[in-house]
């Protein structure tokens, strides 16, 4: 760990604003002649209109289905685009999660290859063909996949749970055949024009490029997006958070299956919550630490009520859920739920023991170096800093901040956040 910390000290994060308004975070890592780039826009599914759930994901997916002609460069369909990337030995991936629509580029840094990869990526980011016929086919495949997923108990449980925890908040929205039918090419074009502007980009870069090279790369990548005008980039409206639950709720959904699926939880925290690290450690002890966690010990090891059980927070730009998940025999579901609730309530009331806290710290700190042992993993950490407005030296002080947490810190954070008496419980497939 000391060796790793010394190495990390040689890899500071540089941060600056481009004339376009784009924000850039760079780690110059010259050991391998490769660069990884992630471009994030505040255009994730939390901004989907409820009647068009899936719009952000559709816009991301369709960016890889072909690009328009550009000067002397011909239009490319999906197959030709894939071949072009293969010829370069590079890749560009696009996707949308709850908060962001993101593009991820990987390329060698040999100057000619990188320049060609950046030009091709710029076309895919800013000039996708958005062919109506292709969308019709892709939508049909997506709808068929959703219909098949809706026959599984896990999907049924997760949809019911999301609706109960988030209410009408957009983190609880899920695409359906009906919402996909409401999405057309014009909707994607309007979505992109509104959200995918150069001034809204947050660009994270890790690799063998210096600041000057990074600036050229960013300018090329964003060159075909709408640029900042004299008035600047108008701020996007805030997205409301899910409201705290007022009472406990339980929903039991009949389903013939070998295992009952159980989800228990509530709205949790935003990623910006000052208790984030205390809750990370607390949850590691409660249910996030695999076989060492209290839930695993009490529910599986001592009572044999479940093969696995775990808990976790899913914080984002908005409040994400705290969730306990397990599967058990249908005839054991009621008992498994009872024991799980008791473990949660006792942990929130009393907090961890000194031995549990010490073991959790050792495990988390000991495994921290593995989170940044490749450029791609390091990029994820830099993008986390960029996206959530964390200090540039966040990683430098992560271990000491975890080490400094005390029993009262962890107990107070869990008590401020969790209300065991007001959690949602969803059981799919349990015996009545």
């Amino acid at each position: 760990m000391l060796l790793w910390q010394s190495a990390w000290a040689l890899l500071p994060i540089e941060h600056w604003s481009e004339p376009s308004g784009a924000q850039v975070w760079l780690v110059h890592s010259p050991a391998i002649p490769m660069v990884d780039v992630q471009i994030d826009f505040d255009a994730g599914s939390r901004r989907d209109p409820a009647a068009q759930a899936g719009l952000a994901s559709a816009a991301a997916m369709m960016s890889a289905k072909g690009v328009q002609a550009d000067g002397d460069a011909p239009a490319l369909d999906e197959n030709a685009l894939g071949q072009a990337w293969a010829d370069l030995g590079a890749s560009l991936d696009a996707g949308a999660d709850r908060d962001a629509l993101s593009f991820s580029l990987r390329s060698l840094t040999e100057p000619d290859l990188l320049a060609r990869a950046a030009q091709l990526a710029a076309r895919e980011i800013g000039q996708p063909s958005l062919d109506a016929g292709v969308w019709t086919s892709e939508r049909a495949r997506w709808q068929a996949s959703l219909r098949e997923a809706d026959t599984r108990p896990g999907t049924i449980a997760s949809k019911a749970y999301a609706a109960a925890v988030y209410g009408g908040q957009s983190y609880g929205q899920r695409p359906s055949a009906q919402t996909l039918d409401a999405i057309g090419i014009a909707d994607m074009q309007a979505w992109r024009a509104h959200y995918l502007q150069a001034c809204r980009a947050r660009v994270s870069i890790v690799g063998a490029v210096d600041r000057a090279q990074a600036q050229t790369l960013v300018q090329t990548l964003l060159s075909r997006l709408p640029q900042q005008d004299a008035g600047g980039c108008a701020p996007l409206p805030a997205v409301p958070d899910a409201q705290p639950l007022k009472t406990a709720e339980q929903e039991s959904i009949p389903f013939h299956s070998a295992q009952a699926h159980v989800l228990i939880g509530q709205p949790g925290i935003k990623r910006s919550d000052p208790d984030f690290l205390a809750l990370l450690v607390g949850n590691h002890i409660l249910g996030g630490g695999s076989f060492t966690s209290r839930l695993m010990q009490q529910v599986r090891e001592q009572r044999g009520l479940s093969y696995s059980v775990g808990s976790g927070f899913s914080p984002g730009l908005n409040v994400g859920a705290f969730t306990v998940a397990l599967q058990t025999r249908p005839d054991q579901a009621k008992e498994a739920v009872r024991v799980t609730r008791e473990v949660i309530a006792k942990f929130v009331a009393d907090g961890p023991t000194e031995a549990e806290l010490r073991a959790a710290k050792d495990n988390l700190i000991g495994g921290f170096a593995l989170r940044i042992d490749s450029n791609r993993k390091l990029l994820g950490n830099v993008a986390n800093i960029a996206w959530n407005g964390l200090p540039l030296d966040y990683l430098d002080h992560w271990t000491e901040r975890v080490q400094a947490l005390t029993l009262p810190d962890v107990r107070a954070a869990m008590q401020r956040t969790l209300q065991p008496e007001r959690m949602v419980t969803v059981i799919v497939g349990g015996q009545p």
Side-chain angles (χ1 to χ4, degrees):
M1 179 59 68
L2 290 174
L3 289 174
W4 171 82
Q5 287 178 331
S6 296
W8 173 250
L10 301 176
L11 298 174
I13 301 175
E14 298 180 67
H15 170 54
W16 68 88
S17 298
E18 286 289 301
S20 65
Q23 301 290 306
V24 185
W25 287 256
L26 168 67
V27 172
H28 178 51
S29 178
I32 301 173
M34 182 175 289
V35 65
D36 286 282
V37 183
Q38 182 169 319
I39 306 172
D40 294 318
F41 298 90
D42 184 353
S45 64
R46 73 186 189 128
R47 295 197 178 275
D48 284 349
Q52 293 179 308
L55 178 54
S57 293
M61 176 183 67
M62 287 296 292
S63 70
K65 301 302 178 181
V67 296
Q68 302 170 28
D70 181 47
D72 294 334
L76 302 174
D77 63 13
E78 182 179 6
N79 290 334
L81 184 58
Q83 186 59 55
W85 282 115
D87 291 344
L88 291 168
S91 64
L92 182 73
D93 298 315
D97 60 19
R98 296 177 307 176
D99 291 333
L101 192 155
S102 305
F103 296 92
S104 299
L105 171 68
R106 166 167 276 198
S107 174
L108 294 171
T109 53
E110 191 278 319
D112 180 62
L113 279 177
L114 181 55
R116 290 159 58 198
Q119 289 289 346
L120 184 59
R123 294 177 65 190
E124 193 169 325
I125 293 168
Q127 297 175 315
S129 54
L130 299 182
D131 182 271
V134 172
W135 168 236
T136 298
S137 298
E138 292 297 329
R139 175 169 55 194
R141 277 194 283 270
W142 192 354
Q143 290 170 324
S145 177
L146 289 173
R147 284 190 287 267
E148 192 277 330
D150 283 340
T151 67
R152 303 176 195 164
T155 302
I156 295 170
S158 65
K159 290 174 73 171
Y161 177 76
V165 169
Y166 292 113
Q169 202 271 342
S170 55
Y171 275 5
Q173 295 176 176
R174 299 291 183 273
S176 67
Q178 292 72 32
T179 64
L180 296 185
D181 273 334
I183 298 171
I185 294 298
D187 301 306
M188 294 184 216
Q189 291 169 333
W191 181 268
R192 291 175 54 86
H194 185 60
Y195 291 110
L196 271 58
Q197 300 180 34
C199 55
R200 301 196 190 282
R202 290 176 177 252
V203 187
S204 304
I205 305 173
V206 174
V209 293
D210 59 25
R211 177 164 176 161
Q213 292 168 318
Q215 287 179 301
T216 299
L217 178 59
V218 171
Q219 290 163 10
T220 300
L221 291 172
L222 304 180
S223 61
R224 289 166 173 80
L225 291 175
Q227 300 297 304
Q228 184 178 24
D229 58 25
C233 216
L236 295 172
V239 176
D241 282 316
Q243 295 303 301
L245 302 177
K246 296 181 179 179
T247 60
E249 301 177 26
Q250 179 165 320
E251 184 174 3
S252 298
I253 302 173
F255 193 94
H256 183 68
S257 61
Q259 294 282 303
H261 291 246
V262 179
L263 296 171
I264 302 171
Q266 61 163 88
I269 60 167
K270 297 181 181 182
R271 178 57 182 83
S272 59
D273 194 299
D275 283 335
F276 175 80
L277 284 180
L279 293 172
L280 175 71
V281 173
N283 179 71
H284 187 86
I285 299 166
L286 174 60
S290 187
F291 286 97
T292 64
S293 74
R294 280 205 191 179
L295 283 169
M296 186 68 84
Q297 289 296 315
Q298 295 291 323
V299 178
R300 172 187 157 143
E301 297 299 318
Q302 295 187 20
R303 296 174 175 84
L305 293 172
S306 178
Y307 178 73
S308 66
V309 57
S311 64
F313 289 90
S314 59
L317 293 181
N318 285 103
V319 168
F322 166 79
T323 305
V324 176
L326 64 92
Q327 295 178 34
T328 186
R329 289 201 328 250
D331 62 302
Q332 293 181 324
K334 290 182 180 178
E335 178 66 5
V337 167
R338 183 189 67 79
V339 172
T340 299
R341 287 173 174 164
E342 287 181 354
V343 173
I344 296 170
K346 178 173 175 55
F347 186 77
V348 172
D350 300 336
T353 66
E354 188 65 55
E356 286 175 324
L357 180 60
R358 183 169 57 251
K361 288 181 181 181
D362 289 346
N363 187 271
L364 290 168
I365 293 172
F368 185 63
L370 298 177
R371 301 185 185 188
I372 50 104
D373 61 359
S374 70
N375 276 11
R376 185 161 283 177
K377 290 181 183 179
L378 182 53
L379 178 70
N381 281 280
V382 175
N384 175 52
I385 289 170
W387 189 247
N388 293 292
L390 301 175
L392 296 183
D393 62 353
Y394 177 77
L395 293 175
D396 297 87
H397 301 291
W398 192 91
T399 56
E400 63 191 64
R401 290 179 63 203
V402 170
Q403 192 65 261
L405 291 167
T406 65
L407 287 174
D409 292 334
V410 174
R411 182 171 59 248
M414 297 297 280
Q415 289 177 346
R416 279 192 293 268
T417 305
L418 299 184
Q419 297 83 42
E421 73 285 357
R422 286 185 278 161
M423 288 187 176
V424 163
T425 302
V426 173
I427 306 170
V428 175
Q431 289 184 353

